[in-house]
Amino acid sequence: MTAEFHDRLRDRVREAACRDPEPTAGIIDAQSVKAATSVPAVTRGFDGGKKVNGRKWQIVVDTLGLLLAVMVTAASVTDRGAGQTLLVRLRGRHWRVTRVWADGGYSGHLVDFARGVLHVALTVVRRSDDTSGFTVLPKRWLVERTFAWLMHSRRLARDYETRTDTSEAVIQWSMSMVMSRRLMRRAR
């Protein structure tokens, strides 16, 4: 029910932005968040790269930064491993998506899987080796902006839910609040 409400609201936001309700491109990324003590040990893990003990959100957003698919896993799950399942979910719901941009964590066999099985062009956007400091990467900044929008919800600063599907629903509710505010501003 939460997903259905979220998806209908996203379609309205896309139409208000003069876009087709069904997206054709997306951006995938992951973020690790700390987990509360109420989170079962079976659904939490340690992300060595970020030094976070908790869960990892895998999300796909459209080119407006609106959430298309979400999956919550233990933080120890690799981006490639979770990315395959998330892309299958994405393709099942959004059959018109034919291009997805990603960071280097999604390279390797996932690119071949996306192209061969799902008929999706997974493009890995890499950072140049000769640049130092912060640089804005094409398309990738859209998913980072979505993470920033989601982190405005205090409930998402730490994962408190015992079930991963409940965590996914909380993320969708938070994104629904972002989208409803956007529609309210347009109505004025």
Side-chain angles (χ1 to χ4, degrees), residues 8-158:
R8 287 182 185 202
L9 188 57
R10 183 192 56 241
D11 292 348
R12 289 191 60 196
V13 171
R14 287 186 59 84
E15 287 172 346
C18 298
R19 299 285 185 102
D20 191 306
E22 189 59 38
T24 59
I27 305 100
I28 187 172
D29 203 3
Q31 179 174 343
S32 296
V33 292
K34 293 180 180 178
T37 55
S38 61
V39 174
V42 109
T43 62
R44 69 188 310 161
F46 186 75
D47 181 356
K50 306 287 187 201
K51 307 284 190 265
V52 172
N53 183 12
R55 287 186 173 158
K56 189 180 282 189
W57 303 345
Q58 304 274 346
I59 67 170
V60 180
V61 299
D62 66 4
T63 54
L64 296 176
L66 305 175
L67 191 66
L68 298 177
V70 61
M71 188 170 84
V72 177
T73 63
S76 56
V77 175
T78 65
D79 290 350
R80 278 182 219 119
Q84 184 170 343
T85 306
L86 185 59
L87 287 175
V88 169
R89 277 190 196 182
L90 173 72
R91 192 69 170 153
R93 171 63 183 94
H94 301 283
W95 55 273
R96 287 186 57 198
V97 172
T98 56
R99 173 168 301 279
V100 175
W101 290 278
D103 65 8
Y106 295 93
S107 61
H109 77 279
L110 185 58
V111 176
D112 299 329
F113 173 81
R115 185 177 352 104
V117 176
L118 302 175
H119 307 291
V120 172
L122 183 64
T123 305
V124 177
V125 179
R126 296 189 189 275
R127 186 179 156 177
S128 177
D129 292 334
D130 58 344
T131 59
S132 62
F134 175 77
T135 56
V136 176
L137 298 175
K139 303 294 181 190
R140 291 263 325 282
W141 68 271
L142 294 164
V143 72
E144 299 299 338
R145 180 182 64 182
T146 302
F147 281 130
W149 288 342
L150 291 172
M151 292 311 288
H152 279 58
S153 296
R154 280 186 62 192
R155 183 69 181 184
L156 297 178
R158 181 178 296 264

Side-chain angles (χ1 to χ4, degrees), residues 154-186:
R154 280 186 62 192
R155 183 69 181 184
L156 297 178
R158 181 178 296 264
D159 197 334
Y160 297 97
E161 310 304 324
T162 52
R163 295 176 26 184
T164 57
D165 60 337
T166 307
S167 290
E168 292 168 4
V170 171
I171 292 168
Q172 289 172 334
W173 273 116
S174 178
M175 193 65 202
S176 295
M177 288 189 293
V178 170
M179 291 186 296
S180 61
R181 285 186 200 118
R182 185 182 289 190
L183 283 175
M184 292 277 292
R185 273 185 259 135
R186 279 191 185 267

